[in-house]
Amino acid sequence: SGLELVPDAIVLIAADLSLVWANSAAESLFGFSGTEQGSGSILELIHPEDLTLVSHAFTTVREKSVGTPLEVRVATVDGWRLVEIVGRWVSDMGDRGVTVASLRDLTQRRRWDIASHADEQLRRLVDHTDVITFLVGIDGHVTSHSPALTRRLGHDPEEVQGRPLTAVIAMEDRQEVHQILRDLAGRHSDGVTHRRTVEVGLLSTRRSEPVPHELTIVDLHDDPIVQGYVVTAHDVSRLRAVRRALEHQAMHDDLTE
C-alpha cells in the first residue's frame, strides 16, 4: 500500500470509531498491530482532557472535504505525545465508510520552539512579570525558572537550577510542599491535570524573614512538553498586611484599642 511509504502515522477508523487498519509508522508509534478488524477504539488512545474535542471532530468530519487539524495528546509506547491529527471521510471504503486519519508527531518540534523562544512576545511577558514561575521535574528539582526569582528575591539562577524546589521555601513549610509533590506524583498516570494551592514563605537573599507567597502547583507529568510540574508563586505580603489590619479593626475599638 502507498500508505506504508508515508512517514506519518496513518490509521483507518470505522464509523463506530474502531481502528480498522494502521500503517507501520502508526504501529511503531502506538506499539500495537492495527491490521486486524476492530482492534479497539481510537478514543482509547486519546488523552482524557482531549476526548471531547476529538469526539466532536469525528462527528463533523463527514461534513468537510478535509477535517480541521487538531493538536491532541495520544498514548504511545513512549508515554503521552503531542500530535497533529487530520482526518478525511471516505464513504466508499468499508461497509459504512471510514475516516482516514494522519497523525504527525509534534512533540520534538514544540520543544525546539520553546528552546528557540519562537513566541518572543510570550517570552518577554514571562521575563517581565512579577509572578515567579518554576518548571520542576518529576524528582522535585527545579529545571528552569523565570527571571522574577532573581529580580524579586535576589537568588542567583545557577544556585537554584538543579536544586530541589524546597530549597527556596522556608523550613517550616518545606514538608507540606514536599508532601504535595509526592501526592501529585502518585496520580500522574491517570491522565488528569491536578492543581494544588498553598501559602508558604519563600526565602529571600535580601530580607531576614521569608516572604509570604501563594504557591500554585500544577501537575503536567502527562504533558509531553513539560513532563513535570509548573509552579507559580504570587507575593501576598500586602494581602497579609491588609488582612491583619481588617482583623484588628474587627476586634478592637478605634478609640480605646
Side-chain angles (χ1 to χ4, degrees), residues 52-125:
T52 301
L53 178 65
V54 174
S55 298
H56 177 72
F58 276 106
T59 60
T60 59
V61 69
R62 303 185 192 190
E63 304 166 5
K64 309 172 184 179
S65 57
V66 178
T68 303
L70 303 175
E71 292 190 6
V72 299
R73 291 159 288 181
V74 296
T76 73
V77 291
D78 298 319
W80 294 108
R81 296 185 74 84
L82 183 69
V83 302
E84 180 185 69
I85 181 170
V86 182
R88 180 174 184 173
W89 175 254
V90 182
S91 60
D92 57 355
M93 289 182 65
D95 296 335
R96 293 188 294 162
V98 298
T99 298
V100 180
S102 167
L103 298 91
R104 175 165 296 180
D105 193 341
L106 298 180
T107 305
Q108 195 59 45
R109 185 195 301 178
R110 287 291 174 267
R111 288 173 181 163
W112 289 336
D113 288 345
I114 293 172
S116 61
H117 304 300
D119 193 333
E120 186 66 17
Q121 285 185 315
L122 180 60
R123 186 184 70 84
R124 289 183 178 274
L125 177 64

Side-chain angles (χ1 to χ4, degrees), residues 245-257:
L246 291 175
E247 290 174 350
H248 182 84
Q249 290 178 13
M251 301 299 294
H252 296 78
D253 177 75
D254 290 340
L255 181 64
T256 65
E257 285 295 311

Side-chain angles (χ1 to χ4, degrees), residues 124-145:
R124 289 183 178 274
L125 177 64
V126 172
D127 284 353
H128 292 90
T129 184
D130 284 338
V131 177
I132 301 171
T133 303
F134 302 89
L135 294 184
V136 181
I138 298 174
D139 59 0
H141 287 66
V142 177
T143 59
S144 182
H145 61 79

Side-chain angles (χ1 to χ4, degrees), residues 37-240:
Q37 179 77 24
S39 58
S41 170
I42 186 66
L43 297 183
E44 295 175 3
L45 303 174
I46 305 298
H47 192 282
E49 294 181 359
D50 297 334
L51 279 175
T52 301
L53 178 65
V54 174
S55 298
H56 177 72
F58 276 106
T59 60
T60 59
V61 69
R62 303 185 192 190
E63 304 166 5
K64 309 172 184 179
S65 57
V66 178
T68 303
L70 303 175
E71 292 190 6
V72 299
R73 291 159 288 181
V74 296
T76 73
V77 291
D78 298 319
W80 294 108
R81 296 185 74 84
L82 183 69
V83 302
E84 180 185 69
I85 181 170
V86 182
R88 180 174 184 173
W89 175 254
V90 182
S91 60
D92 57 355
M93 289 182 65
D95 296 335
R96 293 188 294 162
V98 298
T99 298
V100 180
S102 167
L103 298 91
R104 175 165 296 180
D105 193 341
L106 298 180
T107 305
Q108 195 59 45
R109 185 195 301 178
R110 287 291 174 267
R111 288 173 181 163
W112 289 336
D113 288 345
I114 293 172
S116 61
H117 304 300
D119 193 333
E120 186 66 17
Q121 285 185 315
L122 180 60
R123 186 184 70 84
R124 289 183 178 274
L125 177 64
V126 172
D127 284 353
H128 292 90
T129 184
D130 284 338
V131 177
I132 301 171
T133 303
F134 302 89
L135 294 184
V136 181
I138 298 174
D139 59 0
H141 287 66
V142 177
T143 59
S144 182
H145 61 79
S146 64
L149 180 65
T150 300
R151 188 169 60 250
R152 295 191 60 83
L153 298 180
H155 289 285
D156 187 325
E158 294 183 358
E159 295 178 353
V160 175
Q161 194 157 326
R163 298 189 64 196
L165 173 65
T166 51
V168 297
I169 296 174
M171 186 66 71
E172 60 269 22
D173 297 324
R174 290 181 183 179
Q175 183 57 40
E176 183 175 10
V177 173
H178 179 69
Q179 188 59 50
I180 289 174
L181 294 177
R182 289 189 61 182
D183 291 345
L184 291 176
R187 299 177 181 176
H188 81 266
S189 61
D190 61 10
V192 179
T193 300
H194 296 278
R195 180 187 305 264
R196 295 285 296 276
T197 300
V198 63
E199 194 168 303
V200 301
L202 291 188
L203 301 177
S204 172
T205 62
R206 300 169 180 169
R207 308 184 195 181
S208 58
E209 295 294 326
V211 183
H213 280 74
E214 182 180 79
L215 219 64
T216 300
I217 305 172
V218 181
D219 175 16
L220 292 177
H221 281 96
D222 290 335
D223 187 288
I225 307 300
V226 179
Q227 295 183 338
Y229 308 103
V230 174
V231 181
T232 54
H234 298 258
D235 189 334
V236 292
S237 301
R238 293 182 181 178
L239 182 60
R240 273 195 178 184

